[in-house]
């Protein structure tokens, strides 16, 4: 029994360690992250595959400034994204707009996961318990 | 004879050796001539020498700055840091092909050298498949992308290495990643040749497992190092942004992860044979897909630096590989039937099945996101970008589910687990996870997903540790301290506990990912010398800006001092912003102060004047653990690979 006490002691040590670790993390207000969330949703129009959050191009700087101004003007995230979409087309957004054909990007994987798991479970059920004679090694 | 012509001659020699060993082996099997087969095997061994010398020629040309060779001209210069001349040979398309060819020949050499005797029948097929794979790369070099092509008029100086590659990561990430992708061919050709000889049973399966583990760990370490590289500099978007080039490296690794798990089931229970063949075929084709995307594929990426016009050649090869796999599979599907079926959903084998299912699902989601822009363009005539948000939102939950299975799986026994056993094993971990979840939910204001992920981590790590501790208590007899038996246990079952250690390393990586995704703080600031900025628990002060002029680059180095809220000094750190005029490109290295709780991360993004600059400051919690995960991952893999069985047999 003493051993299980040691093991639970170690585990409790671990949980408190993880908790202390998390509570030490700097916790400041999240307002600045709103900016960065938006930056990382908008692609830099002249760079390959970079969002304006990462890009050093001057156009990215200008776009960041526009976003900051729009935040100051009290615009919603959706409106800001809409503004860029209208100016540059849908490809400026780092995530497809969830409507029309774009929906397939989410639906297809989910459908395939559901269908294939159903098939797997079904075929496992069917075979379970058969051919147990080979079960020697 | 010049170095360039020597190098090229060696390539042609390799080409002939490959052709000889392919054709010779196939004829040798037909006429059962052992002498011919042996000679073909030796020819395959010789490619190691010819390609090794060829690599040496190219490295020599780089180190001696032989600009008569176009490739050397394009990827080095007199003013570049000399240390990078040793690795510049794989900085571009042609040279990296040579590197890949060399790695294939090295890997084939060792595979054939240590081939266990029960696989002797399969050897001729193995020789011809490996040589065939090598032939493709050597053929491409000889016909389309010769690294030894020369100029008539020798230029005085070269263009220099791509600035983004002048980083310590250059010594490890590209060679490991390329080696990992190329050597998936080893377990692949082992299995194909075993299938050909109708021997895809338990003979030689340990050997397949060993090679797969090696390949898988090389690829894994390569990916993690790439992640670390991208983390330390600006420009590749952070540690992981689901960039197409990152994704094509990740997908084969995921499938290989599934493979190394399900091969265990085949070894223990004679199951999943067909599935294993499918997995290794998939991994191989995905690796070819990766090479295609990397070398001029149609998808936009931040780091397609090796871009070339060879895309379609690699596409062709990928399609060829896929057709080859399909034919092999269709012709031999009757030989690879399983002996057993899954008996219960609550069994180790079904846990492996679920693990495989999730891994394949993540791969599919990633592949789908990667090709979706093309699909959308063709079918909906709309240009879209698929970035990190899609992958995070769809893959995130699946990865979490996978981690969950990782926690439960080891508690299930083979064939069937009783509910009672499961309950006693999981009671403590589950209750701990629930407690942590509740505490986190009450005390933090973060999204619920972050608390959920941390609780799942808690569950998994405590199951592993409890299982481990229980095992070591069982081993403790006659007063041996439990912590000694804790380590003794590893030696008794290296596969199992090596696996556990790898699982722990994955958890550490996950901890870093959770920290940076859910707890990061990031701000843009303008800072002048002497000014202090408060962020989180820190104060950051800009001390000085230094300028260094070199022939090929202008370096600006910013020095920051970091203090805590009580103004006690924590560290002095430097970040630099190096501009390369001939490339019109800047390489920006972040200043990082790292500790187990969080990284303070400062990017010197732009210098406004001699005393004023723009910085991006962020606090990246728990990232430290992600990089610690790397060495632990290697340790775990080495422990599982340590050959105890081999020694006993001999």
């Amino acid at each position: 029994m003493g051993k299980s006490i040691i093991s639970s002691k170690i585990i409790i040590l671990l949980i408190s360690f993880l908790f202390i670790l998390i509570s030490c993390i700097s916790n400041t207000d999240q307002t600045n992250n709103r900016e960065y969330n938006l930056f990382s949703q908008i692609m830099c129009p002249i760079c390959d595959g970079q969002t304006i959050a990462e890009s050093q191009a001057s156009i990215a700087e200008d776009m960041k400034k526009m976003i900051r101004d729009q935040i100051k003007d009290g615009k919603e995230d959706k409106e800001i994204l809409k503004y860029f979409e209208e100016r540059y087309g849908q490809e400026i957004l780092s995530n497809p707009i969830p409507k029309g054909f774009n929906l397939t990007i989410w639906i297809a994987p989910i459908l395939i996961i559901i269908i294939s798991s159903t098939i797997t479970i079904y075929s496992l059920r069917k075979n379970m318990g058969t051919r147990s004679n080979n079960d020697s090694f | 004879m010049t170095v360039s012509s020597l190098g090229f001659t060696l390539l042609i020699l390799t080409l002939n050796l490959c052709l000889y060993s392919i054709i010779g082996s196939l004829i040798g099997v037909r006429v059962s001539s052992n002498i011919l087969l042996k000679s073909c095997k030796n020819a395959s061994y010789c490619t190691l020498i010819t390609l090794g010398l060829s690599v040496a020629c190219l490295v020599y040309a780089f180190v001696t700055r032989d600009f008569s060779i176009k490739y050397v001209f394009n990827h080095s210069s007199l003013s570049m840091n000399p240390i990078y001349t040793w690795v510049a040979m794989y900085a571009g398309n042609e040279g990296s092909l040579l590197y890949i060819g060399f790695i294939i020949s090295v890997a084939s050499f060792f595979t054939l050298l240590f081939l266990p005797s029960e696989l002797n029948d399969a050897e001729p097929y193995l020789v011809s498949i490996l040589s065939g794979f090598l032939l493709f790369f050597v053929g491409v070099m000889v016909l389309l992308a010769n690294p030894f092509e020369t100029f008539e008029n020798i230029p005085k100086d070269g263009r220099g290495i791509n600035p983004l590659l002048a980083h310590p990561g250059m010594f490890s990430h590209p060679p490991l990643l390329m080696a990992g992708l190329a050597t998936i061919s080893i377990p692949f050709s082992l299995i194909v040749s075993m299938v050909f000889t109708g021997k895809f049973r338990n003979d030689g399966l340990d050997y397949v497992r060993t090679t797969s583990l090696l390949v898988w760990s090389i690829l894994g370490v390569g990916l993690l190092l790439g992640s670390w590289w991208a983390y330390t500099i600006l420009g590749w978007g952070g540690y992981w942004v689901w960039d197409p080039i990152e994704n094509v490296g990740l997908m084969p690794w995921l499938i290989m992860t599934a493979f190394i798990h399900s091969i265990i089931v085949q070894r223990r229970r004679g199951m999943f044979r067909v599935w294993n063949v499918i997995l290794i075929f998939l991994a191989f084709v995905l690796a070819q897909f990766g090479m295609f995307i990397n070398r001029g594929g149609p998808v936009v990426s931040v780091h397609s630096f090796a871009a070339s016009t060879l895309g379609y050649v690699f596409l062709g090869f990928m399609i060829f590989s896929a057709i080859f796999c399909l034919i092999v599979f269709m012709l031999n599907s009757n030989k690879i039937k399983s002996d057993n079926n899954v008996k219960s959903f609550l069994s180790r084998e079904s846990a492996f099945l679920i693990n495989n299912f999730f891994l394949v699902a993540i791969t599919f989601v990633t592949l789908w996101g990667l090709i979706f822009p093309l699909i959308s363009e063709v079918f909906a005539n709309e240009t879209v970008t698929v970035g990190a948000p899609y992958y995070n939102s769809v893959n995130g939950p699946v990865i979490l589910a996978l981690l969950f299975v990782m926690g439960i799986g080891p508690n299930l026994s083979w064939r069937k687990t009783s509910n009672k056993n499961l309950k006693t094993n999981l009671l403590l971990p589950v209750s701990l996870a629930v407690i942590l979840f509740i505490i986190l939910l009450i005390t933090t204001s973060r999204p619920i997903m972050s608390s959920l992920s941390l609780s799942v981590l808690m569950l998994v790590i405590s199951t592993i540790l409890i299982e481990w501790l229980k095992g070591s208590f069982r081993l403790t007899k006659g007063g041996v301290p439990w912590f000694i038996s804790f380590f003794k246990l590893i030696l008794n079952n290296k596969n199992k506990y090596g696996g556990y250690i790898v699982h722990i390393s994955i958890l550490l990586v996950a901890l870093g990912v959770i920290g940076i995704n859910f707890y990061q703080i990031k701000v843009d600031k303008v800072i002048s010398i002497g000014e202090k900025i408060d962020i989180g628990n820190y104060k950051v002060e800009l001390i000085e800006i230094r300028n260094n002029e070199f022939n090929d680059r202008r370096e600006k180095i910013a020095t920051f001092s970091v203090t805590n809220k009580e103004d006690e000094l924590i560290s002095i750190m430097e970040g630099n912003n190096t501009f390369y005029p001939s490339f019109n490109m800047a390489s920006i290295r972040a200043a990082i102060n790292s500790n187990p709780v969080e990284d303070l991360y400062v990017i010197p993004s732009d210098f406004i004047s001699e005393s004023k600059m723009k910085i991006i400051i962020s606090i990246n919690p728990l990232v430290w653990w992600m990089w610690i995960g790397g060495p632990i991952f290697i340790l775990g893999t080495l422990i599982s690979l340590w050959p105890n069985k081999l020694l006993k047999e001999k």
Side-chain angles (χ1 to χ4, degrees), chain A residues 11 26-28 33 36 50 56 68 90-91 94 135, chain B residues 234-235 269 382 385 387 432 446 520-521 524 598 605:
Chain A
I11 301 300
S26 301
N27 207 347
T28 43
N33 274 20
Y36 260 90
Q50 276 184 314
Q56 292 301 297
R68 283 196 196 101
Q90 202 195 142
E91 66 214 85
S94 72
D135 197 3
Chain B
L234 185 75
R269 303 267 294 122
E382 268 182 89
T385 312
L432 284 172
R446 312 283 171 170
Q520 189 187 40
I521 302 168
D524 275 23
E598 58 196 11
S605 64

PDB file of all heavy atoms in Angstrom, chain A residues 11 26-28 33 36 50 56 68 90-91 94 135, chain B residues 234-235 269 382 385 387 432 446 520-521 524 598 605:
ATOM      1  N   ILE A  11       2.309  11.716  -8.598  1.00  0.00           N
ATOM      2  CA  ILE A  11       1.345  12.247  -9.561  1.00  0.00           C
ATOM      3  C   ILE A  11       0.811  13.600  -9.080  1.00  0.00           C
ATOM      4  O   ILE A  11       0.655  14.545  -9.862  1.00  0.00           O
ATOM      5  CB  ILE A  11       0.170  11.259  -9.744  1.00  0.00           C
ATOM      6  CG1 ILE A  11       0.696   9.913 -10.226  1.00  0.00           C
ATOM      7  CG2 ILE A  11      -0.835  11.811 -10.735  1.00  0.00           C
ATOM      8  CD1 ILE A  11       1.424   9.937 -11.522  1.00  0.00           C
ATOM      9  N   SER A  26       2.847  34.873 -17.777  1.00  0.00           N
ATOM     10  CA  SER A  26       2.442  36.278 -17.769  1.00  0.00           C
ATOM     11  C   SER A  26       1.013  36.418 -18.244  1.00  0.00           C
ATOM     12  O   SER A  26       0.625  35.852 -19.261  1.00  0.00           O
ATOM     13  CB  SER A  26       3.325  37.081 -18.711  1.00  0.00           C
ATOM     14  OG  SER A  26       4.646  36.984 -18.323  1.00  0.00           O
ATOM     15  N   ASN A  27       0.267  37.158 -17.504  1.00  0.00           N
ATOM     16  CA  ASN A  27      -1.135  37.299 -17.846  1.00  0.00           C
ATOM     17  C   ASN A  27      -1.465  38.783 -17.991  1.00  0.00           C
ATOM     18  O   ASN A  27      -1.630  39.484 -17.005  1.00  0.00           O
ATOM     19  CB  ASN A  27      -1.959  36.676 -16.715  1.00  0.00           C
ATOM     20  CG  ASN A  27      -3.278  36.177 -17.227  1.00  0.00           C
ATOM     21  OD1 ASN A  27      -3.661  36.518 -18.347  1.00  0.00           O
ATOM     22  ND2 ASN A  27      -3.963  35.393 -16.424  1.00  0.00           N
ATOM     23  N   THR A  28      -1.461  39.278 -19.208  1.00  0.00           N
ATOM     24  CA  THR A  28      -1.852  40.673 -19.375  1.00  0.00           C
ATOM     25  C   THR A  28      -3.121  40.730 -20.195  1.00  0.00           C
ATOM     26  O   THR A  28      -3.584  39.721 -20.689  1.00  0.00           O
ATOM     27  CB  THR A  28      -0.764  41.492 -20.094  1.00  0.00           C
ATOM     28  OG1 THR A  28      -0.284  40.718 -21.165  1.00  0.00           O
ATOM     29  CG2 THR A  28       0.351  41.867 -19.156  1.00  0.00           C
ATOM     30  N   ASN A  33      -3.809  41.415 -28.600  1.00  0.00           N
ATOM     31  CA  ASN A  33      -3.858  40.218 -29.414  1.00  0.00           C
ATOM     32  C   ASN A  33      -4.949  40.278 -30.467  1.00  0.00           C
ATOM     33  O   ASN A  33      -4.905  39.561 -31.441  1.00  0.00           O
ATOM     34  CB  ASN A  33      -4.036  38.994 -28.537  1.00  0.00           C
ATOM     35  CG  ASN A  33      -2.703  38.491 -28.032  1.00  0.00           C
ATOM     36  OD1 ASN A  33      -1.736  39.249 -28.029  1.00  0.00           O
ATOM     37  ND2 ASN A  33      -2.650  37.263 -27.636  1.00  0.00           N
ATOM     38  N   TYR A  36      -3.273  41.214 -33.553  1.00  0.00           N
ATOM     39  CA  TYR A  36      -2.503  40.120 -34.156  1.00  0.00           C
ATOM     40  C   TYR A  36      -3.382  39.032 -34.725  1.00  0.00           C
ATOM     41  O   TYR A  36      -3.036  38.402 -35.723  1.00  0.00           O
ATOM     42  CB  TYR A  36      -1.466  39.582 -33.176  1.00  0.00           C
ATOM     43  CG  TYR A  36      -0.139  40.172 -33.516  1.00  0.00           C
ATOM     44  CD1 TYR A  36       0.285  41.365 -32.959  1.00  0.00           C
ATOM     45  CD2 TYR A  36       0.649  39.585 -34.511  1.00  0.00           C
ATOM     46  CE1 TYR A  36       1.471  41.941 -33.341  1.00  0.00           C
ATOM     47  CE2 TYR A  36       1.829  40.154 -34.901  1.00  0.00           C
ATOM     48  CZ  TYR A  36       2.233  41.339 -34.311  1.00  0.00           C
ATOM     49  OH  TYR A  36       3.391  41.910 -34.724  1.00  0.00           O
ATOM     50  N   GLN A  50       2.726  34.260 -46.932  1.00  0.00           N
ATOM     51  CA  GLN A  50       2.905  34.857 -45.617  1.00  0.00           C
ATOM     52  C   GLN A  50       1.715  35.741 -45.270  1.00  0.00           C
ATOM     53  O   GLN A  50       1.173  36.408 -46.139  1.00  0.00           O
ATOM     54  CB  GLN A  50       4.156  35.739 -45.599  1.00  0.00           C
ATOM     55  CG  GLN A  50       5.435  34.996 -45.335  1.00  0.00           C
ATOM     56  CD  GLN A  50       6.610  35.933 -45.226  1.00  0.00           C
ATOM     57  OE1 GLN A  50       6.771  36.830 -46.047  1.00  0.00           O
ATOM     58  NE2 GLN A  50       7.419  35.730 -44.217  1.00  0.00           N
ATOM     59  N   GLN A  56       7.513  41.494 -43.844  1.00  0.00           N
ATOM     60  CA  GLN A  56       8.248  42.732 -43.634  1.00  0.00           C
ATOM     61  C   GLN A  56       8.033  43.720 -44.779  1.00  0.00           C
ATOM     62  O   GLN A  56       8.612  44.790 -44.798  1.00  0.00           O
ATOM     63  CB  GLN A  56       9.756  42.429 -43.523  1.00  0.00           C
ATOM     64  CG  GLN A  56      10.104  41.655 -42.270  1.00  0.00           C
ATOM     65  CD  GLN A  56       9.697  42.418 -41.035  1.00  0.00           C
ATOM     66  OE1 GLN A  56      10.196  43.482 -40.769  1.00  0.00           O
ATOM     67  NE2 GLN A  56       8.751  41.877 -40.279  1.00  0.00           N
ATOM     68  N   ARG A  68      -5.187  48.865 -37.651  1.00  0.00           N
ATOM     69  CA  ARG A  68      -5.176  49.556 -36.356  1.00  0.00           C
ATOM     70  C   ARG A  68      -6.148  50.741 -36.369  1.00  0.00           C
ATOM     71  O   ARG A  68      -6.898  50.947 -35.414  1.00  0.00           O
ATOM     72  CB  ARG A  68      -3.770  50.068 -36.052  1.00  0.00           C
ATOM     73  CG  ARG A  68      -2.865  48.968 -35.596  1.00  0.00           C
ATOM     74  CD  ARG A  68      -1.619  49.494 -34.929  1.00  0.00           C
ATOM     75  NE  ARG A  68      -0.654  48.433 -34.863  1.00  0.00           N
ATOM     76  CZ  ARG A  68       0.379  48.302 -35.689  1.00  0.00           C
ATOM     77  NH1 ARG A  68       0.612  49.221 -36.619  1.00  0.00           N
ATOM     78  NH2 ARG A  68       1.199  47.271 -35.584  1.00  0.00           N
ATOM     79  N   GLN A  90     -11.000  37.323 -52.417  1.00  0.00           N
ATOM     80  CA  GLN A  90     -11.084  36.388 -51.300  1.00  0.00           C
ATOM     81  C   GLN A  90      -9.729  35.811 -50.901  1.00  0.00           C
ATOM     82  O   GLN A  90      -9.524  35.437 -49.763  1.00  0.00           O
ATOM     83  CB  GLN A  90     -12.033  35.262 -51.702  1.00  0.00           C
ATOM     84  CG  GLN A  90     -12.603  34.559 -50.510  1.00  0.00           C
ATOM     85  CD  GLN A  90     -13.236  33.255 -50.882  1.00  0.00           C
ATOM     86  OE1 GLN A  90     -13.113  32.310 -50.145  1.00  0.00           O
ATOM     87  NE2 GLN A  90     -13.934  33.185 -52.009  1.00  0.00           N
ATOM     88  N   GLU A  91      -8.791  35.747 -51.866  1.00  0.00           N
ATOM     89  CA  GLU A  91      -7.525  35.086 -51.545  1.00  0.00           C
ATOM     90  C   GLU A  91      -6.683  35.857 -50.536  1.00  0.00           C
ATOM     91  O   GLU A  91      -5.694  35.349 -50.039  1.00  0.00           O
ATOM     92  CB  GLU A  91      -6.733  34.840 -52.828  1.00  0.00           C
ATOM     93  CG  GLU A  91      -6.285  36.123 -53.505  1.00  0.00           C
ATOM     94  CD  GLU A  91      -6.284  35.989 -55.023  1.00  0.00           C
ATOM     95  OE1 GLU A  91      -7.355  36.203 -55.625  1.00  0.00           O
ATOM     96  OE2 GLU A  91      -5.229  35.664 -55.563  1.00  0.00           O
ATOM     97  N   SER A  94      -6.658  34.496 -44.976  1.00  0.00           N
ATOM     98  CA  SER A  94      -5.890  33.259 -44.795  1.00  0.00           C
ATOM     99  C   SER A  94      -6.799  32.062 -44.556  1.00  0.00           C
ATOM    100  O   SER A  94      -6.349  30.939 -44.512  1.00  0.00           O
ATOM    101  CB  SER A  94      -4.905  33.402 -43.638  1.00  0.00           C
ATOM    102  OG  SER A  94      -5.588  33.403 -42.413  1.00  0.00           O
ATOM    103  N   ASP A 135      -5.915 -18.329 -33.361  1.00  0.00           N
ATOM    104  CA  ASP A 135      -5.423 -17.432 -32.317  1.00  0.00           C
ATOM    105  C   ASP A 135      -4.439 -18.150 -31.401  1.00  0.00           C
ATOM    106  O   ASP A 135      -4.706 -18.358 -30.233  1.00  0.00           O
ATOM    107  CB  ASP A 135      -6.646 -16.950 -31.530  1.00  0.00           C
ATOM    108  CG  ASP A 135      -6.316 -15.734 -30.716  1.00  0.00           C
ATOM    109  OD1 ASP A 135      -5.168 -15.267 -30.824  1.00  0.00           O
ATOM    110  OD2 ASP A 135      -7.196 -15.286 -29.977  1.00  0.00           O
TER     111      ASP A 135
ATOM    112  N   LEU B 234      12.499  35.480 -38.184  1.00  0.00           N
ATOM    113  CA  LEU B 234      11.251  35.938 -38.773  1.00  0.00           C
ATOM    114  C   LEU B 234      11.312  35.617 -40.262  1.00  0.00           C
ATOM    115  O   LEU B 234      12.359  35.646 -40.861  1.00  0.00           O
ATOM    116  CB  LEU B 234      11.113  37.438 -38.588  1.00  0.00           C
ATOM    117  CG  LEU B 234       9.792  38.010 -39.053  1.00  0.00           C
ATOM    118  CD1 LEU B 234       8.704  37.665 -38.072  1.00  0.00           C
ATOM    119  CD2 LEU B 234       9.893  39.507 -39.190  1.00  0.00           C
ATOM    120  N   GLY B 235      10.208  35.330 -40.845  1.00  0.00           N
ATOM    121  CA  GLY B 235      10.220  35.110 -42.285  1.00  0.00           C
ATOM    122  C   GLY B 235       9.614  33.777 -42.648  1.00  0.00           C
ATOM    123  O   GLY B 235       8.995  33.640 -43.679  1.00  0.00           O
ATOM    124  N   ARG B 269       0.171 -10.121 -33.281  1.00  0.00           N
ATOM    125  CA  ARG B 269      -1.093 -10.831 -33.464  1.00  0.00           C
ATOM    126  C   ARG B 269      -1.348 -11.270 -34.903  1.00  0.00           C
ATOM    127  O   ARG B 269      -2.402 -11.801 -35.191  1.00  0.00           O
ATOM    128  CB  ARG B 269      -2.249  -9.925 -33.009  1.00  0.00           C
ATOM    129  CG  ARG B 269      -2.129  -9.444 -31.580  1.00  0.00           C
ATOM    130  CD  ARG B 269      -2.868 -10.353 -30.618  1.00  0.00           C
ATOM    131  NE  ARG B 269      -4.295 -10.339 -30.828  1.00  0.00           N
ATOM    132  CZ  ARG B 269      -5.021 -11.408 -31.101  1.00  0.00           C
ATOM    133  NH1 ARG B 269      -4.458 -12.564 -31.232  1.00  0.00           N
ATOM    134  NH2 ARG B 269      -6.313 -11.304 -31.259  1.00  0.00           N
ATOM    135  N   GLU B 382     -12.721  29.987 -58.087  1.00  0.00           N
ATOM    136  CA  GLU B 382     -12.468  30.992 -57.060  1.00  0.00           C
ATOM    137  C   GLU B 382     -11.064  30.757 -56.501  1.00  0.00           C
ATOM    138  O   GLU B 382     -10.669  29.619 -56.279  1.00  0.00           O
ATOM    139  CB  GLU B 382     -13.464  30.826 -55.909  1.00  0.00           C
ATOM    140  CG  GLU B 382     -14.711  31.666 -56.054  1.00  0.00           C
ATOM    141  CD  GLU B 382     -15.619  31.473 -54.860  1.00  0.00           C
ATOM    142  OE1 GLU B 382     -15.451  32.212 -53.889  1.00  0.00           O
ATOM    143  OE2 GLU B 382     -16.458  30.575 -54.918  1.00  0.00           O
ATOM    144  N   THR B 385      -7.234  31.061 -50.176  1.00  0.00           N
ATOM    145  CA  THR B 385      -6.022  30.708 -49.451  1.00  0.00           C
ATOM    146  C   THR B 385      -6.446  29.852 -48.271  1.00  0.00           C
ATOM    147  O   THR B 385      -7.442  30.158 -47.629  1.00  0.00           O
ATOM    148  CB  THR B 385      -5.348  31.981 -48.919  1.00  0.00           C
ATOM    149  OG1 THR B 385      -5.278  32.908 -49.994  1.00  0.00           O
ATOM    150  CG2 THR B 385      -3.981  31.688 -48.383  1.00  0.00           C
ATOM    151  N   GLY B 387      -5.053  28.792 -44.805  1.00  0.00           N
ATOM    152  CA  GLY B 387      -3.964  29.034 -43.867  1.00  0.00           C
ATOM    153  C   GLY B 387      -4.159  28.312 -42.555  1.00  0.00           C
ATOM    154  O   GLY B 387      -5.026  27.445 -42.413  1.00  0.00           O
ATOM    155  N   LEU B 432      -7.585  12.922 -11.805  1.00  0.00           N
ATOM    156  CA  LEU B 432      -6.627  14.022 -11.819  1.00  0.00           C
ATOM    157  C   LEU B 432      -6.912  15.003 -12.958  1.00  0.00           C
ATOM    158  O   LEU B 432      -6.881  16.215 -12.776  1.00  0.00           O
ATOM    159  CB  LEU B 432      -5.203  13.474 -11.974  1.00  0.00           C
ATOM    160  CG  LEU B 432      -4.607  12.843 -10.728  1.00  0.00           C
ATOM    161  CD1 LEU B 432      -3.297  12.162 -11.060  1.00  0.00           C
ATOM    162  CD2 LEU B 432      -4.404  13.900  -9.663  1.00  0.00           C
ATOM    163  N   ARG B 446      -9.023  31.772 -20.184  1.00  0.00           N
ATOM    164  CA  ARG B 446      -8.685  31.380 -21.563  1.00  0.00           C
ATOM    165  C   ARG B 446      -9.802  30.531 -22.172  1.00  0.00           C
ATOM    166  O   ARG B 446     -10.672  30.038 -21.445  1.00  0.00           O
ATOM    167  CB  ARG B 446      -7.391  30.569 -21.565  1.00  0.00           C
ATOM    168  CG  ARG B 446      -6.284  31.162 -20.772  1.00  0.00           C
ATOM    169  CD  ARG B 446      -5.646  32.300 -21.497  1.00  0.00           C
ATOM    170  NE  ARG B 446      -4.720  32.981 -20.595  1.00  0.00           N
ATOM    171  CZ  ARG B 446      -3.876  33.904 -21.005  1.00  0.00           C
ATOM    172  NH1 ARG B 446      -3.833  34.269 -22.260  1.00  0.00           N
ATOM    173  NH2 ARG B 446      -3.076  34.490 -20.152  1.00  0.00           N
ATOM    174  N   GLN B 520      -0.318  32.967 -25.819  1.00  0.00           N
ATOM    175  CA  GLN B 520       0.659  33.937 -26.324  1.00  0.00           C
ATOM    176  C   GLN B 520       0.151  35.377 -26.216  1.00  0.00           C
ATOM    177  O   GLN B 520      -1.032  35.650 -26.368  1.00  0.00           O
ATOM    178  CB  GLN B 520       0.966  33.621 -27.795  1.00  0.00           C
ATOM    179  CG  GLN B 520       2.108  34.432 -28.342  1.00  0.00           C
ATOM    180  CD  GLN B 520       2.283  34.228 -29.835  1.00  0.00           C
ATOM    181  OE1 GLN B 520       1.301  34.139 -30.579  1.00  0.00           O
ATOM    182  NE2 GLN B 520       3.514  34.141 -30.282  1.00  0.00           N
ATOM    183  N   ILE B 521       1.107  36.285 -25.930  1.00  0.00           N
ATOM    184  CA  ILE B 521       0.805  37.723 -25.965  1.00  0.00           C
ATOM    185  C   ILE B 521       1.735  38.320 -27.020  1.00  0.00           C
ATOM    186  O   ILE B 521       2.914  37.964 -27.076  1.00  0.00           O
ATOM    187  CB  ILE B 521       1.128  38.396 -24.620  1.00  0.00           C
ATOM    188  CG1 ILE B 521       0.358  37.743 -23.484  1.00  0.00           C
ATOM    189  CG2 ILE B 521       0.834  39.885 -24.688  1.00  0.00           C
ATOM    190  CD1 ILE B 521       0.862  38.172 -22.122  1.00  0.00           C
ATOM    191  N   ASP B 524       3.164  45.063 -31.173  1.00  0.00           N
ATOM    192  CA  ASP B 524       4.097  45.863 -31.967  1.00  0.00           C
ATOM    193  C   ASP B 524       4.434  47.121 -31.187  1.00  0.00           C
ATOM    194  O   ASP B 524       3.527  47.749 -30.642  1.00  0.00           O
ATOM    195  CB  ASP B 524       3.415  46.339 -33.262  1.00  0.00           C
ATOM    196  CG  ASP B 524       3.490  45.312 -34.348  1.00  0.00           C
ATOM    197  OD1 ASP B 524       3.646  44.136 -34.011  1.00  0.00           O
ATOM    198  OD2 ASP B 524       3.383  45.697 -35.523  1.00  0.00           O
ATOM    199  N   GLU B 598       8.160  30.525 -19.777  1.00  0.00           N
ATOM    200  CA  GLU B 598       7.799  31.235 -21.008  1.00  0.00           C
ATOM    201  C   GLU B 598       9.039  31.828 -21.676  1.00  0.00           C
ATOM    202  O   GLU B 598      10.071  32.043 -21.047  1.00  0.00           O
ATOM    203  CB  GLU B 598       6.791  32.353 -20.695  1.00  0.00           C
ATOM    204  CG  GLU B 598       7.312  33.345 -19.678  1.00  0.00           C
ATOM    205  CD  GLU B 598       6.215  34.212 -19.067  1.00  0.00           C
ATOM    206  OE1 GLU B 598       5.038  33.918 -19.259  1.00  0.00           O
ATOM    207  OE2 GLU B 598       6.580  35.179 -18.398  1.00  0.00           O
ATOM    208  N   SER B 605      12.097  44.248 -35.987  1.00  0.00           N
ATOM    209  CA  SER B 605      11.509  44.166 -37.330  1.00  0.00           C
ATOM    210  C   SER B 605      11.979  45.286 -38.248  1.00  0.00           C
ATOM    211  O   SER B 605      12.138  45.091 -39.436  1.00  0.00           O
ATOM    212  CB  SER B 605       9.985  44.139 -37.244  1.00  0.00           C
ATOM    213  OG  SER B 605       9.508  45.332 -36.700  1.00  0.00           O
TER     214      SER B 605
END
